Amino acid sequence: MTERIPSSGASPAAAARQDDRPPPARLAYDRHTWKEIAHLLANLPATLLGFTYVMTMLFTSLGLTVTVVGFPLLAAGLMGARLLGRAERARARALLGVRVDEPSRLPLRGSGGFLPRWWMSLKDPVGWRAVLYEFIRLPWGVLTFTVTLTSLFVLWPVLPFIARGLANADRAMVRGLLSPSDELERRISELESDRGVVVDTVAADLRRIERDLHDGAQARLVGLAMGLGLAKEKVLEDPDAAAAMVAEAHGEVKLALQELRDLARGIHPAVLTDRGLDAALSSVATRCTVPVRVTADLPARPAAAIEGIAYFTVSELLQNVSKHSGARSASVDVRRTAGRLLIQVWDDGRGGASPDGGTGLKGLAERLDAVDGGFVLESPEGGPTTVTAELPWRDRSAAPG
């Protein structure tokens, strides 16, 4: 079984364009021809409405820019232009069969105040393209309405071909001015999703650290303080009992220190900071219940953030090998390839690993995707299992701090 998680492909707009083409025009009037004729005849009232709105909004807001209300009025007008663009996309979708993705909404709620929201609305490319669309459509609407209405009575035998040519020009305008920028909109959507994943991951890590401190080292230190208090009271009455309590407290101190070391290693191991990824992965491999061969071919150390993500990725994968694989051997291969940090973890276990199996693979893939990484799982039934993870390479010298 080979599975790429998650499947963050490009927007389906390009593929949809291959599916929304009407059949070739012919002399007979079919439903596609009548829809195109209806769209062309509706161009005039639609463009009159849009042109009137755009000109009124632009002249009014630009004329009031000398006052404090001009720019906010322009921002509100651009939001209204967005709504006009949505209506035009719906009309083209219903009558011309043009499948155009809806642009992403402006993230106004998280902008942090009136001025950032106002400035974001003024810079909105979707609104300005809708304004341009409505502005240039008036002469086109008059032309298409006149030609279509005249041809309906005079040139009706060839009207399907005339309507197809005019409708194709309309399709090109809608796709060119009212469709989102595929790469930009896809990137914005990915970043919004990735931001949510990062926030959830950080919150979960903070809760885990708090829980480990509360249930582990903190509880032992509280017990240690109580034990030392009792020993202090008994040091004169019963020195032997006090000595036994002190010895027990000494053991509790050792256990608390070990738990704190484990917790610090889970946050960021000292060996990773001091000696780099190769030594840190070798240390992780020694704690695996399966013999692990570690190979690290890195010309230099990557940025600290990339190095930490790579370390915790391998650590979690080796934990899965120890708990779930039933393997007899495993290997970790880390190298730099074409500006990417490539991580490959292999084991000869029973296979059948799945992101839905409760082993944390899905969450790991989401974390990698949040930093423009990739995650590929190959785990056929009977094994072996190969997990390939990719991270963007950033030089340590270029990293902040």
Side-chain angles (χ1 to χ4, degrees):
M1 177 180 65
T2 302
E3 189 162 353
R4 178 175 293 272
I5 316 167
S7 56
S8 54
S11 172
R17 291 175 187 172
Q18 303 297 327
D19 302 331
D20 59 11
R21 294 177 180 174
R26 55 181 182 173
L27 292 176
Y29 281 41
D30 56 10
R31 62 184 182 89
H32 296 286
T33 300
W34 283 116
K35 284 185 176 181
E36 289 173 345
I37 293 173
H39 179 85
L40 296 172
L41 292 176
N43 272 349
L44 182 58
T47 52
L48 282 174
L49 176 63
F51 184 83
T52 303
Y53 172 82
V54 166
M55 296 306 295
T56 303
M57 180 266 295
L58 286 178
F59 279 114
T60 303
S61 57
L62 293 179
L64 292 175
T65 51
V66 294
T67 67
V68 295
V69 299
F71 289 108
L73 185 61
L74 179 59
L78 289 174
M79 297 296 292
R82 264 182 166 254
L83 298 178
L84 283 178
R86 181 186 301 177
E88 286 294 326
R89 282 189 295 271
R91 187 166 71 96
R93 190 181 304 116
L95 298 177
L96 298 182
V98 178
R99 301 180 186 178
V100 177
D101 293 337
E102 292 293 330
S104 299
R105 293 183 178 181
L106 289 176
L108 298 178
R109 291 186 178 180
S111 303
F114 172 75
L115 288 179
R117 295 178 185 177
W118 165 71
W119 183 242
M120 185 180 298
S121 300
L122 284 180
K123 296 189 303 179
D124 179 23
V126 177
W128 283 111
R129 279 183 293 167
V131 168
L132 178 61
Y133 178 85
E134 299 293 349
F135 183 78
I136 66 175
R137 290 277 293 178
L138 181 61
W140 177 253
V142 174
L143 175 65
T144 56
F145 178 83
T146 305
V147 171
T148 305
L149 187 61
T150 304
S151 301
L152 190 60
F153 296 99
V154 180
L155 301 174
W156 59 266
V158 293
L159 179 57
F161 301 96
I162 298 175
R164 178 57 50 85
L166 296 175
N168 284 340
D170 262 334
R171 291 184 176 96
M173 289 185 192
V174 172
R175 291 193 182 106
L177 292 176
L178 297 183
S179 64
S181 173
D182 290 342
E183 183 63 25
L184 179 60
E185 291 294 330
R186 183 180 65 84
R187 186 64 184 146
I188 290 174
S189 178
E190 287 180 357
L191 289 175
E192 290 175 350
S193 175
D194 293 345
R195 180 181 61 181
V197 171
V198 171
V199 170
D200 293 342
T201 301
V202 171
D205 289 340
L206 289 176
R207 288 194 299 268
R208 176 183 58 81
I209 294 171
E210 181 184 9
R211 184 177 63 252
D212 292 344
L213 282 173
H214 183 271
D215 298 340
Q218 180 180 348
R220 290 191 181 279
L221 291 175
V222 170
L224 172 64
M226 295 177 61
L228 289 176
L230 292 174
K232 181 181 178 181
E233 294 177 358
K234 290 181 176 293
V235 68
L236 297 178
E237 301 175 2
D238 192 350
D240 294 335
M245 290 181 180
V246 171
E248 183 179 355
H250 185 255
E252 289 292 324
V253 168
K254 290 182 178 180
L255 292 175
L257 287 174
Q258 182 60 42
E259 290 181 354
L260 289 175
R261 289 193 191 98
D262 294 339
L263 183 61
R265 187 185 297 115
I267 299 173
H268 194 84
V271 65
L272 180 62
T273 303
D274 298 337
R275 300 174 57 191
L277 196 57
D278 190 0
L281 295 183
S282 299
S283 175
V284 171
T286 59
R287 298 197 296 270
C288 185
T289 59
V290 176
V292 181
R293 177 177 58 86
V294 177
T295 304
D297 183 14
L298 300 176
R301 293 182 64 177
I306 299 299
E307 201 173 53
I309 295 172
Y311 170 83
F312 288 111
T313 298
V314 174
S315 177
E316 188 163 343
L317 290 174
L318 289 182
Q319 286 182 15
N320 287 339
V321 171
S322 298
K323 296 178 181 178
H324 308 291
S325 70
R328 291 172 294 178
S329 62
S331 65
V332 176
D333 184 18
V334 182
R335 61 182 181 273
R336 180 181 178 179
T337 305
R340 306 283 286 181
L341 179 62
L342 183 66
I343 305 169
Q344 204 165 57
V345 178
W346 173 90
D347 69 78
D348 60 356
R350 65 177 66 95
S354 169
D356 301 324
T359 56
L361 294 176
K362 185 175 181 180
L364 185 60
E366 291 176 349
R367 296 184 188 185
L368 290 172
D369 186 62
V371 291
D372 287 338
F375 188 89
V376 178
L377 171 65
E378 300 178 12
S379 184
E381 290 293 338
T385 296
T386 303
V387 178
T388 304
E390 286 186 2
L391 288 166
W393 180 277
R394 290 200 288 270
D395 292 328
R396 179 168 288 262
S397 59

